[in-house]
PDB file of all heavy atoms in Angstrom:
ATOM      1  N   HIS A 105       0.872  -1.169   0.000  1.00 87.00           N
ATOM      2  CA  HIS A 105       0.000   0.000   0.000  1.00 87.00           C
ATOM      3  C   HIS A 105       0.913   1.225   0.000  1.00 87.00           C
ATOM      4  O   HIS A 105       1.848   1.300   0.790  1.00 87.00           O
ATOM      5  CB  HIS A 105      -0.865  -0.043   1.265  1.00 87.00           C
ATOM      6  CG  HIS A 105      -1.890   1.046   1.336  1.00 87.00           C
ATOM      7  ND1 HIS A 105      -1.584   2.337   1.703  1.00 87.00           N
ATOM      8  CD2 HIS A 105      -3.239   1.029   1.090  1.00 87.00           C
ATOM      9  CE1 HIS A 105      -2.680   3.072   1.685  1.00 87.00           C
ATOM     10  NE2 HIS A 105      -3.706   2.305   1.311  1.00 87.00           N
ATOM     11  N   ALA A 106       0.634   2.171  -0.890  1.00 84.00           N
ATOM     12  CA  ALA A 106       1.548   3.304  -1.059  1.00 84.00           C
ATOM     13  C   ALA A 106       1.800   4.056   0.247  1.00 84.00           C
ATOM     14  O   ALA A 106       2.899   4.516   0.512  1.00 84.00           O
ATOM     15  CB  ALA A 106       0.990   4.258  -2.109  1.00 84.00           C
ATOM     16  N   VAL A 107       0.765   4.172   1.107  1.00 84.00           N
ATOM     17  CA  VAL A 107       0.932   4.936   2.349  1.00 84.00           C
ATOM     18  C   VAL A 107       1.235   4.029   3.534  1.00 84.00           C
ATOM     19  O   VAL A 107       2.153   4.268   4.312  1.00 84.00           O
ATOM     20  CB  VAL A 107      -0.344   5.765   2.649  1.00 84.00           C
ATOM     21  CG1 VAL A 107      -0.170   6.532   3.962  1.00 84.00           C
ATOM     22  CG2 VAL A 107      -0.648   6.705   1.494  1.00 84.00           C
ATOM     23  N   ASP A 108       0.449   2.973   3.664  1.00 85.00           N
ATOM     24  CA  ASP A 108       0.507   2.177   4.902  1.00 85.00           C
ATOM     25  C   ASP A 108       1.623   1.138   4.952  1.00 85.00           C
ATOM     26  O   ASP A 108       1.877   0.556   6.006  1.00 85.00           O
ATOM     27  CB  ASP A 108      -0.839   1.460   5.128  1.00 85.00           C
ATOM     28  CG  ASP A 108      -1.948   2.472   5.447  1.00 85.00           C
ATOM     29  OD1 ASP A 108      -1.580   3.654   5.643  1.00 85.00           O
ATOM     30  OD2 ASP A 108      -3.121   2.081   5.485  1.00 85.00           O
ATOM     31  N   SER A 109       2.269   0.838   3.842  1.00 86.00           N
ATOM     32  CA  SER A 109       3.326  -0.189   3.889  1.00 86.00           C
ATOM     33  C   SER A 109       4.615   0.390   4.454  1.00 86.00           C
ATOM     34  O   SER A 109       4.994   1.519   4.130  1.00 86.00           O
ATOM     35  CB  SER A 109       3.592  -0.753   2.491  1.00 86.00           C
ATOM     36  OG  SER A 109       2.532  -1.624   2.150  1.00 86.00           O
ATOM     37  N   SER A 110       5.279  -0.403   5.299  1.00 89.00           N
ATOM     38  CA  SER A 110       6.576   0.010   5.864  1.00 89.00           C
ATOM     39  C   SER A 110       7.375  -1.257   6.124  1.00 89.00           C
ATOM     40  O   SER A 110       6.840  -2.363   6.085  1.00 89.00           O
ATOM     41  CB  SER A 110       6.355   0.755   7.183  1.00 89.00           C
ATOM     42  OG  SER A 110       5.771  -0.161   8.109  1.00 89.00           O
ATOM     43  N   ALA A 111       8.665  -1.070   6.411  1.00 90.00           N
ATOM     44  CA  ALA A 111       9.533  -2.232   6.692  1.00 90.00           C
ATOM     45  C   ALA A 111       8.966  -3.010   7.878  1.00 90.00           C
ATOM     46  O   ALA A 111       8.914  -4.240   7.872  1.00 90.00           O
ATOM     47  CB  ALA A 111      10.959  -1.773   6.984  1.00 90.00           C
ATOM     48  N   ILE A 112       8.526  -2.279   8.881  1.00 90.00           N
ATOM     49  CA  ILE A 112       7.997  -2.924  10.098  1.00 90.00           C
ATOM     50  C   ILE A 112       6.783  -3.786   9.768  1.00 90.00           C
ATOM     51  O   ILE A 112       6.646  -4.912  10.246  1.00 90.00           O
ATOM     52  CB  ILE A 112       7.663  -1.820  11.139  1.00 90.00           C
ATOM     53  CG1 ILE A 112       8.658  -1.707  12.260  1.00 90.00           C
ATOM     54  CG2 ILE A 112       6.295  -1.965  11.746  1.00 90.00           C
ATOM     55  CD1 ILE A 112       9.247  -2.664  13.066  1.00 90.00           C
ATOM     56  N   ALA A 113       5.915  -3.281   8.894  1.00 91.00           N
ATOM     57  CA  ALA A 113       4.709  -4.038   8.539  1.00 91.00           C
ATOM     58  C   ALA A 113       5.084  -5.363   7.877  1.00 91.00           C
ATOM     59  O   ALA A 113       4.501  -6.417   8.170  1.00 91.00           O
ATOM     60  CB  ALA A 113       3.845  -3.206   7.607  1.00 91.00           C
ATOM     61  N   PHE A 114       6.086  -5.323   6.979  1.00 93.00           N
ATOM     62  CA  PHE A 114       6.482  -6.566   6.297  1.00 93.00           C
ATOM     63  C   PHE A 114       7.200  -7.533   7.255  1.00 93.00           C
ATOM     64  O   PHE A 114       7.077  -8.752   7.127  1.00 93.00           O
ATOM     65  CB  PHE A 114       7.348  -6.247   5.073  1.00 93.00           C
ATOM     66  CG  PHE A 114       6.510  -5.932   3.853  1.00 93.00           C
ATOM     67  CD1 PHE A 114       6.301  -4.617   3.450  1.00 93.00           C
ATOM     68  CD2 PHE A 114       5.897  -6.951   3.138  1.00 93.00           C
ATOM     69  CE1 PHE A 114       5.498  -4.325   2.352  1.00 93.00           C
ATOM     70  CE2 PHE A 114       5.096  -6.670   2.031  1.00 93.00           C
ATOM     71  CZ  PHE A 114       4.891  -5.362   1.638  1.00 93.00           C
ATOM     72  N   GLU A 115       7.937  -6.971   8.203  1.00 93.00           N
ATOM     73  CA  GLU A 115       8.618  -7.841   9.180  1.00 93.00           C
ATOM     74  C   GLU A 115       7.576  -8.586  10.023  1.00 93.00           C
ATOM     75  O   GLU A 115       7.672  -9.791  10.256  1.00 93.00           O
ATOM     76  CB  GLU A 115       9.544  -7.003  10.079  1.00 93.00           C
ATOM     77  CG  GLU A 115      10.472  -7.864  10.925  1.00 93.00           C
ATOM     78  CD  GLU A 115      11.370  -7.028  11.836  1.00 93.00           C
ATOM     79  OE1 GLU A 115      11.845  -5.935  11.431  1.00 93.00           O
ATOM     80  OE2 GLU A 115      11.584  -7.471  12.972  1.00 93.00           O
ATOM     81  N   ILE A 116       6.531  -7.843  10.446  1.00 92.00           N
ATOM     82  CA  ILE A 116       5.466  -8.470  11.255  1.00 92.00           C
ATOM     83  C   ILE A 116       4.728  -9.524  10.425  1.00 92.00           C
ATOM     84  O   ILE A 116       4.402 -10.614  10.900  1.00 92.00           O
ATOM     85  CB  ILE A 116       4.488  -7.395  11.789  1.00 92.00           C
ATOM     86  CG1 ILE A 116       5.208  -6.492  12.800  1.00 92.00           C
ATOM     87  CG2 ILE A 116       3.273  -8.056  12.450  1.00 92.00           C
ATOM     88  CD1 ILE A 116       4.434  -5.261  13.228  1.00 92.00           C
ATOM     89  N   ALA A 117       4.531  -9.222   9.132  1.00 93.00           N
ATOM     90  CA  ALA A 117       3.864 -10.175   8.236  1.00 93.00           C
ATOM     91  C   ALA A 117       4.660 -11.486   8.166  1.00 93.00           C
ATOM     92  O   ALA A 117       4.099 -12.586   8.216  1.00 93.00           O
ATOM     93  CB  ALA A 117       3.714  -9.569   6.845  1.00 93.00           C
ATOM     94  N   ALA A 118       6.000 -11.347   8.058  1.00 93.00           N
ATOM     95  CA  ALA A 118       6.854 -12.541   7.947  1.00 93.00           C
ATOM     96  C   ALA A 118       6.762 -13.384   9.221  1.00 93.00           C
ATOM     97  O   ALA A 118       6.706 -14.619   9.170  1.00 93.00           O
ATOM     98  CB  ALA A 118       8.298 -12.128   7.675  1.00 93.00           C
ATOM     99  N   LYS A 119       6.737 -12.725  10.390  1.00 93.00           N
ATOM    100  CA  LYS A 119       6.650 -13.465  11.656  1.00 93.00           C
ATOM    101  C   LYS A 119       5.341 -14.240  11.735  1.00 93.00           C
ATOM    102  O   LYS A 119       5.298 -15.402  12.136  1.00 93.00           O
ATOM    103  CB  LYS A 119       6.760 -12.504  12.854  1.00 93.00           C
ATOM    104  CG  LYS A 119       8.171 -11.965  13.050  1.00 93.00           C
ATOM    105  CD  LYS A 119       8.245 -11.019  14.242  1.00 93.00           C
ATOM    106  CE  LYS A 119       9.678 -10.556  14.470  1.00 93.00           C
ATOM    107  NZ  LYS A 119       9.782  -9.577  15.536  1.00 93.00           N
ATOM    108  N   GLY A 120       4.239 -13.560  11.316  1.00 93.00           N
ATOM    109  CA  GLY A 120       2.936 -14.226  11.329  1.00 93.00           C
ATOM    110  C   GLY A 120       2.925 -15.401  10.359  1.00 93.00           C
ATOM    111  O   GLY A 120       2.370 -16.471  10.642  1.00 93.00           O
ATOM    112  N   ALA A 121       3.579 -15.197   9.204  1.00 93.00           N
ATOM    113  CA  ALA A 121       3.627 -16.245   8.183  1.00 93.00           C
ATOM    114  C   ALA A 121       4.348 -17.491   8.722  1.00 93.00           C
ATOM    115  O   ALA A 121       3.922 -18.622   8.469  1.00 93.00           O
ATOM    116  CB  ALA A 121       4.347 -15.719   6.948  1.00 93.00           C
ATOM    117  N   PHE A 122       5.424 -17.271   9.457  1.00 92.00           N
ATOM    118  CA  PHE A 122       6.198 -18.395  10.017  1.00 92.00           C
ATOM    119  C   PHE A 122       5.305 -19.220  10.950  1.00 92.00           C
ATOM    120  O   PHE A 122       5.209 -20.438  10.828  1.00 92.00           O
ATOM    121  CB  PHE A 122       7.417 -17.834  10.779  1.00 92.00           C
ATOM    122  CG  PHE A 122       8.318 -18.881  11.385  1.00 92.00           C
ATOM    123  CD1 PHE A 122       9.414 -19.361  10.682  1.00 92.00           C
ATOM    124  CD2 PHE A 122       8.074 -19.392  12.668  1.00 92.00           C
ATOM    125  CE1 PHE A 122      10.248 -20.317  11.246  1.00 92.00           C
ATOM    126  CE2 PHE A 122       8.905 -20.348  13.231  1.00 92.00           C
ATOM    127  CZ  PHE A 122      10.004 -20.815  12.521  1.00 92.00           C
ATOM    128  N   ARG A 123       4.590 -18.515  11.851  1.00 90.00           N
ATOM    129  CA  ARG A 123       3.726 -19.218  12.817  1.00 90.00           C
ATOM    130  C   ARG A 123       2.601 -19.973  12.112  1.00 90.00           C
ATOM    131  O   ARG A 123       2.209 -21.046  12.517  1.00 90.00           O
ATOM    132  CB  ARG A 123       3.139 -18.215  13.818  1.00 90.00           C
ATOM    133  CG  ARG A 123       4.092 -17.882  14.955  1.00 90.00           C
ATOM    134  CD  ARG A 123       3.362 -17.139  16.075  1.00 90.00           C
ATOM    135  NE  ARG A 123       2.940 -15.798  15.626  1.00 90.00           N
ATOM    136  CZ  ARG A 123       3.673 -14.700  15.805  1.00 90.00           C
ATOM    137  NH1 ARG A 123       4.827 -14.773  16.424  1.00 90.00           N
ATOM    138  NH2 ARG A 123       3.229 -13.528  15.377  1.00 90.00           N
ATOM    139  N   GLN A 124       2.125 -19.375  11.015  1.00 91.00           N
ATOM    140  CA  GLN A 124       0.990 -19.965  10.298  1.00 91.00           C
ATOM    141  C   GLN A 124       1.417 -21.209   9.499  1.00 91.00           C
ATOM    142  O   GLN A 124       0.700 -22.207   9.460  1.00 91.00           O
ATOM    143  CB  GLN A 124       0.409 -18.902   9.351  1.00 91.00           C
ATOM    144  CG  GLN A 124      -0.602 -19.430   8.338  1.00 91.00           C
ATOM    145  CD  GLN A 124      -1.089 -18.303   7.426  1.00 91.00           C
ATOM    146  OE1 GLN A 124      -1.692 -17.335   7.883  1.00 91.00           O
ATOM    147  NE2 GLN A 124      -0.821 -18.422   6.124  1.00 91.00           N
ATOM    148  N   SER A 125       2.603 -21.133   8.862  1.00 91.00           N
ATOM    149  CA  SER A 125       2.951 -22.172   7.886  1.00 91.00           C
ATOM    150  C   SER A 125       3.812 -23.310   8.432  1.00 91.00           C
ATOM    151  O   SER A 125       3.780 -24.405   7.875  1.00 91.00           O
ATOM    152  CB  SER A 125       3.691 -21.541   6.701  1.00 91.00           C
ATOM    153  OG  SER A 125       2.891 -20.529   6.142  1.00 91.00           O
ATOM    154  N   MET A 126       4.600 -23.046   9.465  1.00 89.00           N
ATOM    155  CA  MET A 126       5.517 -24.100   9.928  1.00 89.00           C
ATOM    156  C   MET A 126       4.779 -25.383  10.337  1.00 89.00           C
ATOM    157  O   MET A 126       5.176 -26.479   9.955  1.00 89.00           O
ATOM    158  CB  MET A 126       6.400 -23.607  11.094  1.00 89.00           C
ATOM    159  CG  MET A 126       7.477 -22.653  10.666  1.00 89.00           C
ATOM    160  SD  MET A 126       8.546 -23.264   9.374  1.00 89.00           S
ATOM    161  CE  MET A 126       9.829 -23.989  10.348  1.00 89.00           C
ATOM    162  N   PRO A 127       3.674 -25.290  11.106  1.00 89.00           N
ATOM    163  CA  PRO A 127       2.982 -26.530  11.478  1.00 89.00           C
ATOM    164  C   PRO A 127       2.464 -27.294  10.246  1.00 89.00           C
ATOM    165  O   PRO A 127       2.408 -28.516  10.249  1.00 89.00           O
ATOM    166  CB  PRO A 127       1.817 -26.048  12.351  1.00 89.00           C
ATOM    167  CG  PRO A 127       2.258 -24.716  12.870  1.00 89.00           C
ATOM    168  CD  PRO A 127       3.081 -24.114  11.772  1.00 89.00           C
ATOM    169  N   LYS A 128       2.134 -26.537   9.152  1.00 90.00           N
ATOM    170  CA  LYS A 128       1.637 -27.197   7.932  1.00 90.00           C
ATOM    171  C   LYS A 128       2.766 -27.932   7.207  1.00 90.00           C
ATOM    172  O   LYS A 128       2.522 -28.802   6.380  1.00 90.00           O
ATOM    173  CB  LYS A 128       1.046 -26.155   6.962  1.00 90.00           C
ATOM    174  CG  LYS A 128      -0.141 -25.361   7.483  1.00 90.00           C
ATOM    175  CD  LYS A 128      -0.585 -24.391   6.385  1.00 90.00           C
ATOM    176  CE  LYS A 128      -1.588 -23.362   6.917  1.00 90.00           C
ATOM    177  NZ  LYS A 128      -1.858 -22.324   5.922  1.00 90.00           N
ATOM    178  N   ALA A 129       4.026 -27.503   7.475  1.00 90.00           N
ATOM    179  CA  ALA A 129       5.164 -28.032   6.705  1.00 90.00           C
ATOM    180  C   ALA A 129       5.737 -29.306   7.339  1.00 90.00           C
ATOM    181  O   ALA A 129       6.888 -29.672   7.075  1.00 90.00           O
ATOM    182  CB  ALA A 129       6.241 -26.963   6.580  1.00 90.00           C
ATOM    183  N   GLY A 130       4.942 -29.960   8.197  1.00 89.00           N
ATOM    184  CA  GLY A 130       5.424 -31.217   8.797  1.00 89.00           C
ATOM    185  C   GLY A 130       6.596 -30.983   9.742  1.00 89.00           C
ATOM    186  O   GLY A 130       7.666 -31.573   9.583  1.00 89.00           O
ATOM    187  N   ALA A 131       6.418 -30.084  10.724  1.00 88.00           N
ATOM    188  CA  ALA A 131       7.511 -29.789  11.676  1.00 88.00           C
ATOM    189  C   ALA A 131       7.927 -31.068  12.397  1.00 88.00           C
ATOM    190  O   ALA A 131       7.093 -31.931  12.696  1.00 88.00           O
ATOM    191  CB  ALA A 131       7.039 -28.742  12.674  1.00 88.00           C
ATOM    192  N   GLN A 132       9.227 -31.156  12.674  1.00 89.00           N
ATOM    193  CA  GLN A 132       9.758 -32.400  13.237  1.00 89.00           C
ATOM    194  C   GLN A 132      10.873 -32.081  14.233  1.00 89.00           C
ATOM    195  O   GLN A 132      11.617 -31.123  14.044  1.00 89.00           O
ATOM    196  CB  GLN A 132      10.323 -33.214  12.067  1.00 89.00           C
ATOM    197  CG  GLN A 132      10.841 -34.567  12.446  1.00 89.00           C
ATOM    198  CD  GLN A 132      11.469 -35.242  11.236  1.00 89.00           C
ATOM    199  OE1 GLN A 132      12.311 -34.659  10.577  1.00 89.00           O
ATOM    200  NE2 GLN A 132      11.054 -36.462  10.959  1.00 89.00           N
ATOM    201  N   LEU A 133      10.972 -32.921  15.279  1.00 90.00           N
ATOM    202  CA  LEU A 133      12.007 -32.719  16.304  1.00 90.00           C
ATOM    203  C   LEU A 133      13.267 -33.510  15.920  1.00 90.00           C
ATOM    204  O   LEU A 133      13.171 -34.658  15.490  1.00 90.00           O
ATOM    205  CB  LEU A 133      11.472 -33.221  17.652  1.00 90.00           C
ATOM    206  CG  LEU A 133      12.130 -32.633  18.899  1.00 90.00           C
ATOM    207  CD1 LEU A 133      11.911 -31.128  18.956  1.00 90.00           C
ATOM    208  CD2 LEU A 133      11.546 -33.284  20.153  1.00 90.00           C
ATOM    209  N   LEU A 134      14.444 -32.880  16.078  1.00 88.00           N
ATOM    210  CA  LEU A 134      15.721 -33.569  15.806  1.00 88.00           C
ATOM    211  C   LEU A 134      16.464 -33.764  17.127  1.00 88.00           C
ATOM    212  O   LEU A 134      16.386 -32.917  18.013  1.00 88.00           O
ATOM    213  CB  LEU A 134      16.603 -32.710  14.894  1.00 88.00           C
ATOM    214  CG  LEU A 134      16.058 -32.360  13.514  1.00 88.00           C
ATOM    215  CD1 LEU A 134      17.036 -31.431  12.805  1.00 88.00           C
ATOM    216  CD2 LEU A 134      15.848 -33.615  12.687  1.00 88.00           C
ATOM    217  N   GLU A 135      17.208 -34.866  17.230  1.00 87.00           N
ATOM    218  CA  GLU A 135      17.996 -35.067  18.452  1.00 87.00           C
ATOM    219  C   GLU A 135      19.469 -35.260  18.094  1.00 87.00           C
ATOM    220  O   GLU A 135      19.797 -35.743  17.008  1.00 87.00           O
ATOM    221  CB  GLU A 135      17.484 -36.289  19.231  1.00 87.00           C
ATOM    222  CG  GLU A 135      17.568 -37.582  18.458  1.00 87.00           C
ATOM    223  CD  GLU A 135      16.997 -38.763  19.239  1.00 87.00           C
ATOM    224  OE1 GLU A 135      16.726 -38.601  20.443  1.00 87.00           O
ATOM    225  OE2 GLU A 135      16.837 -39.820  18.644  1.00 87.00           O
ATOM    226  N   PRO A 136      20.378 -34.857  19.024  1.00 83.00           N
ATOM    227  CA  PRO A 136      21.803 -35.036  18.743  1.00 83.00           C
ATOM    228  C   PRO A 136      22.182 -36.517  18.819  1.00 83.00           C
ATOM    229  O   PRO A 136      21.802 -37.206  19.764  1.00 83.00           O
ATOM    230  CB  PRO A 136      22.494 -34.236  19.849  1.00 83.00           C
ATOM    231  CG  PRO A 136      21.476 -34.045  20.907  1.00 83.00           C
ATOM    232  CD  PRO A 136      20.123 -34.195  20.295  1.00 83.00           C
ATOM    233  N   ILE A 137      22.893 -36.988  17.808  1.00 86.00           N
ATOM    234  CA  ILE A 137      23.370 -38.378  17.788  1.00 86.00           C
ATOM    235  C   ILE A 137      24.865 -38.356  18.102  1.00 86.00           C
ATOM    236  O   ILE A 137      25.621 -37.556  17.537  1.00 86.00           O
ATOM    237  CB  ILE A 137      23.137 -39.012  16.396  1.00 86.00           C
ATOM    238  CG1 ILE A 137      21.660 -38.941  16.021  1.00 86.00           C
ATOM    239  CG2 ILE A 137      23.642 -40.450  16.369  1.00 86.00           C
ATOM    240  CD1 ILE A 137      20.734 -39.780  16.856  1.00 86.00           C
ATOM    241  N   MET A 138      25.279 -39.216  19.014  1.00 82.00           N
ATOM    242  CA  MET A 138      26.676 -39.250  19.432  1.00 82.00           C
ATOM    243  C   MET A 138      27.394 -40.424  18.786  1.00 82.00           C
ATOM    244  O   MET A 138      26.822 -41.498  18.605  1.00 82.00           O
ATOM    245  CB  MET A 138      26.780 -39.398  20.957  1.00 82.00           C
ATOM    246  CG  MET A 138      25.970 -38.395  21.735  1.00 82.00           C
ATOM    247  SD  MET A 138      26.351 -36.696  21.321  1.00 82.00           S
ATOM    248  CE  MET A 138      27.848 -36.445  22.259  1.00 82.00           C
ATOM    249  N   HIS A 139      28.660 -40.184  18.453  1.00 80.00           N
ATOM    250  CA  HIS A 139      29.483 -41.282  17.964  1.00 80.00           C
ATOM    251  C   HIS A 139      30.122 -41.921  19.203  1.00 80.00           C
ATOM    252  O   HIS A 139      30.912 -41.287  19.888  1.00 80.00           O
ATOM    253  CB  HIS A 139      30.547 -40.723  17.034  1.00 80.00           C
ATOM    254  CG  HIS A 139      31.384 -41.789  16.434  1.00 80.00           C
ATOM    255  ND1 HIS A 139      30.883 -42.669  15.517  1.00 80.00           N
ATOM    256  CD2 HIS A 139      32.655 -42.162  16.671  1.00 80.00           C
ATOM    257  CE1 HIS A 139      31.833 -43.536  15.204  1.00 80.00           C
ATOM    258  NE2 HIS A 139      32.903 -43.248  15.891  1.00 80.00           N
ATOM    259  N   VAL A 140      29.749 -43.146  19.512  1.00 81.00           N
ATOM    260  CA  VAL A 140      30.182 -43.793  20.762  1.00 81.00           C
ATOM    261  C   VAL A 140      31.181 -44.903  20.453  1.00 81.00           C
ATOM    262  O   VAL A 140      30.963 -45.707  19.546  1.00 81.00           O
ATOM    263  CB  VAL A 140      28.956 -44.379  21.512  1.00 81.00           C
ATOM    264  CG1 VAL A 140      29.387 -45.041  22.807  1.00 81.00           C
ATOM    265  CG2 VAL A 140      27.940 -43.289  21.798  1.00 81.00           C
ATOM    266  N   ASP A 141      32.278 -44.905  21.205  1.00 78.00           N
ATOM    267  CA  ASP A 141      33.336 -45.903  21.006  1.00 78.00           C
ATOM    268  C   ASP A 141      33.478 -46.663  22.327  1.00 78.00           C
ATOM    269  O   ASP A 141      33.915 -46.100  23.322  1.00 78.00           O
ATOM    270  CB  ASP A 141      34.628 -45.135  20.680  1.00 78.00           C
ATOM    271  CG  ASP A 141      35.727 -46.039  20.189  1.00 78.00           C
ATOM    272  OD1 ASP A 141      35.603 -47.263  20.372  1.00 78.00           O
ATOM    273  OD2 ASP A 141      36.719 -45.527  19.633  1.00 78.00           O
ATOM    274  N   VAL A 142      33.046 -47.929  22.339  1.00 83.00           N
ATOM    275  CA  VAL A 142      33.033 -48.689  23.598  1.00 83.00           C
ATOM    276  C   VAL A 142      34.120 -49.753  23.570  1.00 83.00           C
ATOM    277  O   VAL A 142      34.294 -50.442  22.563  1.00 83.00           O
ATOM    278  CB  VAL A 142      31.670 -49.393  23.825  1.00 83.00           C
ATOM    279  CG1 VAL A 142      31.611 -50.045  25.192  1.00 83.00           C
ATOM    280  CG2 VAL A 142      30.528 -48.413  23.673  1.00 83.00           C
ATOM    281  N   PHE A 143      34.852 -49.861  24.684  1.00 80.00           N
ATOM    282  CA  PHE A 143      35.835 -50.938  24.804  1.00 80.00           C
ATOM    283  C   PHE A 143      35.274 -51.966  25.789  1.00 80.00           C
ATOM    284  O   PHE A 143      34.922 -51.623  26.902  1.00 80.00           O
ATOM    285  CB  PHE A 143      37.157 -50.367  25.329  1.00 80.00           C
ATOM    286  CG  PHE A 143      38.177 -51.424  25.578  1.00 80.00           C
ATOM    287  CD1 PHE A 143      38.931 -51.934  24.533  1.00 80.00           C
ATOM    288  CD2 PHE A 143      38.358 -51.953  26.844  1.00 80.00           C
ATOM    289  CE1 PHE A 143      39.857 -52.938  24.751  1.00 80.00           C
ATOM    290  CE2 PHE A 143      39.270 -52.959  27.068  1.00 80.00           C
ATOM    291  CZ  PHE A 143      40.023 -53.454  26.019  1.00 80.00           C
ATOM    292  N   SER A 144      35.170 -53.221  25.345  1.00 85.00           N
ATOM    293  CA  SER A 144      34.559 -54.242  26.205  1.00 85.00           C
ATOM    294  C   SER A 144      35.407 -55.513  26.201  1.00 85.00           C
ATOM    295  O   SER A 144      35.959 -55.875  25.167  1.00 85.00           O
ATOM    296  CB  SER A 144      33.153 -54.565  25.671  1.00 85.00           C
ATOM    297  OG  SER A 144      32.736 -55.831  26.149  1.00 85.00           O
ATOM    298  N   PRO A 145      35.524 -56.195  27.354  1.00 85.00           N
ATOM    299  CA  PRO A 145      36.173 -57.504  27.354  1.00 85.00           C
ATOM    300  C   PRO A 145      35.362 -58.467  26.478  1.00 85.00           C
ATOM    301  O   PRO A 145      34.145 -58.303  26.351  1.00 85.00           O
ATOM    302  CB  PRO A 145      36.114 -57.945  28.822  1.00 85.00           C
ATOM    303  CG  PRO A 145      35.777 -56.728  29.587  1.00 85.00           C
ATOM    304  CD  PRO A 145      35.041 -55.802  28.675  1.00 85.00           C
ATOM    305  N   GLU A 146      36.044 -59.453  25.879  1.00 86.00           N
ATOM    306  CA  GLU A 146      35.357 -60.353  24.939  1.00 86.00           C
ATOM    307  C   GLU A 146      34.122 -61.023  25.532  1.00 86.00           C
ATOM    308  O   GLU A 146      33.101 -61.175  24.876  1.00 86.00           O
ATOM    309  CB  GLU A 146      36.334 -61.409  24.433  1.00 86.00           C
ATOM    310  CG  GLU A 146      37.088 -60.912  23.211  1.00 86.00           C
ATOM    311  CD  GLU A 146      38.115 -61.911  22.714  1.00 86.00           C
ATOM    312  OE1 GLU A 146      37.836 -63.114  22.796  1.00 86.00           O
ATOM    313  OE2 GLU A 146      39.175 -61.461  22.255  1.00 86.00           O
TER     314      GLU A 146
END
């Protein structure tokens, strides 16, 4: 909008967009995997 648009307005739009779309995009939890080296008697 020639008068009402501003950088702040678009930044707020992007934040709202993130909240709206992320759950639709199949959000998923990741966990850290460790490389483990075990020494064991036979």
Side-chain angles (χ1 to χ4, degrees):
H105 185 281
V107 179
D108 292 351
S109 285
S110 64
I112 256 313
F114 275 101
E115 191 181 322
I116 293 170
K119 287 180 177 176
F122 181 93
R123 278 193 292 267
Q124 169 181 298
S125 304
M126 287 305 268
K128 299 180 191 172
Q132 183 184 52
L133 203 62
L134 299 176
E135 61 182 349
I137 303 293
M138 308 304 280
H139 183 69
V140 180
D141 191 345
V142 186
F143 176 81
S144 159
E146 273 177 36

